[in-house]
Amino acid sequence: MIISALAFTLLNVGVKYLGKFNVYQIVFFRALGSLFFTFPFLLKNKISFIGNKVKLLVARSIVGLIAMTMFFASIKLLPTGTAVSIRYIAPIFAALFALFLLKERIKPIQWLFFIAAFCGVLMLKGLETNVDSLGFVFALISALFTGLVFIIIRRIGNQDHPMVIVNYFMVTSFIIAGILSIKYWIQPIGIEWVALLSLGVFGYFGQIYMTKALQTSETRLVAPLKYIEVVFTMLAGVIWFTEDYTIVTILGMILIITSLVLNVIVVKRKQ
């Protein structure tokens, strides 16, 4: 899980570094880099590219594309640690979607954690005048759609291979973002090619190692480690982009992370 967090941190840093490029072009290269892994895997293992739950696969891909685009847009406008922290409230939206769409119960203690996490989000924006409002909205929209992604994947269940789900997502992002980026295309120069293509590599390995962690240990033990990404991203932002975090911002992040970690531990312990 720590390796996964590092990989996602490098992805976040890469997006910030490539700030001069339009977000659609960044999404395009993010998808392209991952397709170098998903296509060979499916071909080698003779897994159908089409899948079984086609409508849900397409829906997951479109919703995921919106979430990723909004997140990358927020990174361009916000300190990276702040953007990541806000995106991590996605499980709250997922729980709310599950309540209304899947009729799942939310334990009373979870409401306390959710309220605390939202208070942390309000601390990031409500008390901080240096937080870009548009970037804040983009991050919230990303969290909302990421929560919906969780629900769609739950509906797909085990009826499609995980790599099929990822491949659908990457192909959809590659095509749609590629078309949308034509108008804003900037020709990469030198190291920028490497940085753009590495986005997909970091994203792919971040996902793979997170999956491995969840497969080899109890979720309540390893899932909280994923939030180390916030710490890694903050440190990277301070070192590479001279980002500035106030005490209020740090306290807001701590409140969000603590609330979500406690939610994971309590829910999994009671299952």
Side-chain angles (χ1 to χ4, degrees), residues 21-73:
F21 294 93
N22 183 271
V23 67
Y24 297 129
Q25 189 172 352
I26 293 176
V27 170
F28 169 79
F29 277 100
R30 160 69 175 91
L32 177 61
S34 289
L35 288 175
F36 284 124
F37 297 95
T38 59
F39 262 71
F41 180 92
L42 294 176
L43 288 172
K44 179 182 178 181
N45 293 279
K46 298 180 180 179
I47 299 174
S48 171
F49 283 76
I50 299 176
N52 299 311
K53 296 288 187 177
V54 176
K55 291 183 180 180
L56 286 176
L57 288 168
V58 172
R60 181 265 180 268
S61 300
I62 294 175
V63 171
L65 172 59
I66 296 172
M68 181 166 62
T69 303
M70 290 293 100
F71 177 59
F72 287 173

Side-chain angles (χ1 to χ4, degrees), residues 21-172:
F21 294 93
N22 183 271
V23 67
Y24 297 129
Q25 189 172 352
I26 293 176
V27 170
F28 169 79
F29 277 100
R30 160 69 175 91
L32 177 61
S34 289
L35 288 175
F36 284 124
F37 297 95
T38 59
F39 262 71
F41 180 92
L42 294 176
L43 288 172
K44 179 182 178 181
N45 293 279
K46 298 180 180 179
I47 299 174
S48 171
F49 283 76
I50 299 176
N52 299 311
K53 296 288 187 177
V54 176
K55 291 183 180 180
L56 286 176
L57 288 168
V58 172
R60 181 265 180 268
S61 300
I62 294 175
V63 171
L65 172 59
I66 296 172
M68 181 166 62
T69 303
M70 290 293 100
F71 177 59
F72 287 173
S74 71
I75 286 182
K76 292 163 70 74
L77 299 172
L78 296 173
T80 48
T82 301
V84 172
S85 297
I86 297 173
R87 184 193 62 175
Y88 267 137
I89 66 171
I92 299 177
F93 290 117
L96 295 175
F97 282 130
L99 175 66
F100 294 106
L101 300 179
L102 304 181
K103 307 303 179 183
E104 294 183 359
R105 291 179 60 253
I106 297 179
K107 297 178 177 65
I109 190 67
Q110 287 181 268
W111 289 111
L112 177 61
F113 296 147
F114 294 167
I115 292 172
F118 269 119
C119 287
V121 172
L122 293 176
M123 288 176 67
L124 292 182
K125 176 54 186 171
L127 302 177
E128 288 297 310
T129 57
N130 63 338
V131 173
D132 185 272
S133 297
L134 185 59
F136 183 80
V137 171
F138 283 160
L140 278 179
I141 294 174
S142 175
L144 176 68
F145 277 87
T146 300
L148 188 54
V149 165
F150 294 162
I151 299 302
I152 297 175
I153 291 178
R154 291 270 298 280
R155 293 293 300 273
I156 295 173
N158 296 322
Q159 299 187 55
D160 276 301
H161 193 284
M163 197 62 76
V164 173
I165 300 175
V166 173
N167 191 66
Y168 254 87
F169 176 31
M170 291 298 102
V171 169
T172 301

